[in-house]
Amino acid sequence: MRTGFERQYVTAFSTEAHPDAVAAFNATPPVRRKFFPGSGGLYRADAHYIVAPARWRGTAAGRVWVGVVAHELGHAVDLSGRAGRVGRSVWLAPAIRQDRACLECDGGLPPKVFAGNGGAAGGRAGTLAVFPDAARERLLALADGGEAASLFAVQWWAGRAEVALAGLSRRLEALAARRRDGGCLRLARYGLRAVGDFIGAVYDLRRGWGHSRAYYRGHGQILGPHLTVGHVAEAFANAFMADVIEGTELLSFLMSSAAPYTYRAYRMLVARIGRACGAGRSPNVESKESSVVPG
């Protein structure tokens, strides 16, 4: 039996949620909720609870809290039963190193990464035709027009991920202000921001955005400098969130094309967690991380 808090949020997740993420959630002990007025999302590993509103529908952010809780549940899946230790997400570290190695420093653009494996999207890659059917349909619906969706695709395949995400986010905010389904659009906007957070975690903010360098440096290092427990934990939580909220078809595709090695490793890891295998010993980690994991 899951907690009432979980049921309140999980019932608002996408009907297209990835089965591996659902299985991983079901393999995780029930998560309790704490409510502190004015607080943001937070997962506390030592007590296995999430800070969240008593009733998300009554908050100013509204439906966005479905995405926030999905992200924090990602931390719970990663860290449950491992309070004060390194999470299961440590196994993403070698893949993150591979994605970082693909990042082309010249001009700050990583076309080999952002065009999919090996730049397979060549030619007129800046078109919607490159997107998988489900991702393209979702993008067209969000952008509320083929021209805006095509612009996003051109920017994405040109390696201008931040520009593409920020532009579509602004469009969604403007649409939300004048449409009845504004809550759903703001949740979609949150999802796009989380894609940027995922990219920021993988590439240590050389691309993307999200948590600060101070936050990342406050966690134990993995496999050498500039890769910490914080990087892998945030990459995992964002990928998990993309698996379960509305629009997973687009969000998951964007993450997989931005960091293919990391996303492939995430898919393997979350499937393993769902089978209740967990992960074994952690490789070469200086464990000084806090048990409090902010969103």
Side-chain angles (χ1 to χ4, degrees):
M1 179 67 67
R2 307 301 303 201
T3 64
F5 150 66
E6 288 175 315
R7 290 194 296 271
Q8 178 183 347
Y9 284 87
V10 171
T11 53
F13 286 172
S14 171
T15 56
E16 303 300 320
H18 197 290
D20 288 344
V22 174
F25 169 74
N26 288 334
T28 302
V31 184
R32 297 180 297 115
R33 174 191 57 82
K34 294 282 186 180
F35 175 57
F36 303 106
S39 294
L42 181 82
Y43 171 68
R44 190 171 188 103
D46 54 357
H48 195 51
Y49 69 70
I50 288 174
V51 172
R55 184 173 177 81
W56 60 267
R57 292 179 181 85
T59 67
R63 194 171 176 82
V64 168
W65 269 97
V66 175
V68 175
V69 169
H71 178 102
E72 302 307 335
L73 283 174
H75 285 310
V77 169
D78 179 19
L79 290 164
S80 64
R82 302 166 75 95
R85 291 180 291 175
V86 175
R88 298 166 179 86
S89 59
V90 69
W91 291 98
L92 301 183
I96 289 178
R97 284 289 187 206
Q98 285 182 287
D99 277 323
R100 289 184 182 182
C102 292
L103 190 65
E104 293 187 2
C105 297
D106 185 20
L109 296 177
K112 290 183 180 178
V113 175
F114 283 86
N117 288 322
R124 287 188 53 81
T127 68
L128 279 173
V130 180
F131 281 61
D133 291 345
R136 182 171 61 253
E137 290 172 11
R138 175 67 175 173
L139 178 57
L140 284 166
L142 284 181
D144 194 32
E147 183 177 349
S150 294
L151 175 60
F152 179 94
V154 168
Q155 293 169 335
W156 186 262
W157 292 119
R160 304 174 67 199
E162 296 89 346
V163 174
L165 292 168
L168 185 53
S169 293
R170 287 193 298 271
R171 185 174 181 85
L172 289 178
E173 186 59 34
L175 291 171
R178 61 176 187 265
R179 280 175 37 173
R180 290 185 178 180
D181 61 346
C184 293
L185 292 174
R186 288 191 173 95
L187 175 58
R189 182 176 182 270
Y190 175 87
L192 293 175
R193 300 296 296 178
V195 172
D197 194 10
F198 171 83
I199 294 170
V202 172
Y203 296 109
D204 191 33
L205 300 178
R206 290 168 61 197
R207 300 303 307 265
W209 50 63
H211 294 69
S212 68
R213 282 196 169 86
Y215 167 80
Y216 289 129
R217 301 298 183 261
H219 292 71
Q221 287 189 356
I222 311 171
L223 302 178
H226 308 302
L227 179 55
T228 72
V229 172
H231 291 103
V232 296
E234 296 305 331
F236 183 93
N238 281 306
F240 182 88
M241 180 224 64
D243 265 351
V244 299
I245 70 168
E246 293 176 7
T248 179
E249 305 90 345
L250 175 62
L251 299 177
S252 296
F253 168 69
L254 294 178
M255 290 184 181
S256 66
S257 60
Y261 290 108
T262 303
Y263 190 79
R264 191 179 306 128
Y266 163 77
R267 289 259 61 94
M268 295 174 64
L269 177 58
V270 78
R272 188 178 182 186
I273 295 171
R275 294 194 299 269
C277 293
R281 233 174 100 194
S282 305
N284 191 25
V285 177
E286 300 170 14
S287 181
K288 63 177 182 179
E289 73 279 10
S290 167
S291 61
V292 177
V293 182

